[in-house]
Amino acid sequence: MKFGRLIRMNKACFLACDQGLEHGPSDFNERNIDPEYIMNIAVEGGFSGIIVGHGIAEKYYRGAYKAVPLIVKLNGKTRLQRGDPLSRQLCSVDRAVKLGAAAVGYTIYPGSAHAQEMFAEFGRIVEQAHDHGIPVVLWVYPRGEGIDELDNKVLAYGARIGLELGADILKVKYNGDLENFKWMLKCAGRAKVVVSGGTKTEPAAFLKEVHDIVHVAGGTGVAVGRNIWQDQRPFSLAKALEQVVFHGKAPEDVMHLLH
Ligand code: FBP
């Protein structure tokens, strides 16, 4: 699989902007509600991918923003939905490629009563994306009634499921257990692993976590949203993150960039 500019120096740093659909506008403020603001952060911060749905890709991914490879998220659901999660495909691989996608993304919820439906849909997406020669990023979020989504065994099982379903890059949750994360990387085999950002935390703690994930455990990188664009200084924090991920800088050595 050719990753092109999505992977730099064997590392990846993706900026996610699909929370409007997944969580609603309450994640945003007056500035970052504008997708262009987030795309500018992606460019300035040297991100190796920007994640959006087809609606935003069609209206905003143009001009200077094309410096950052596009990852079109093909499925999505809202927070208004109740019960075991089901997230169906909303955009075809062909359409994503026409919009300029360097990769496509899809979420599965292992443990949901509807998991099999998403696995089957994802299988078709893998075939189509690989026919186009582009990689597939799989959000593996074990979830459903009775599932502890941050349990070590559940997380490791999710990583293995992603490999076996044919994903090229897995986007997983991190529960703070670095040893278990190393086991997850083994379970993921030749699939690359990036970690999801989660709710906003202090920059120092966030950068330390990223450093551990990438440079201590050996993960490929992060796919983060709120921890960057909800920050007071998102452009500076993005530059600090770039230094940590791609240049192996220690968090304490980049804190001065946060001005
Ligand atoms: P954040 O870094 O803001 O957590 O975004 C990562 C992400 O995977 C998004 O791509 C997605 O919208 C969101 O989290 C979904 O998270 P959840 O389903 O856990 O609320």
Side-chain angles (χ1 to χ4, degrees), residues 16 18-19 22-23 77 109 139 141 143 149 171 173 196-199 223-227 229:
D18 62 335
Q19 291 82 352
E22 298 288 334
H23 299 159
K77 62 163 186 55
Y109 298 101
W139 281 231
Y141 288 179
R143 196 168 289 176
E149 32 189 287
K171 183 173 186 308
K173 301 259 182 192
S196 173
T199 51
V224 54
R226 289 166 289 175
N227 262 293
W229 45 253

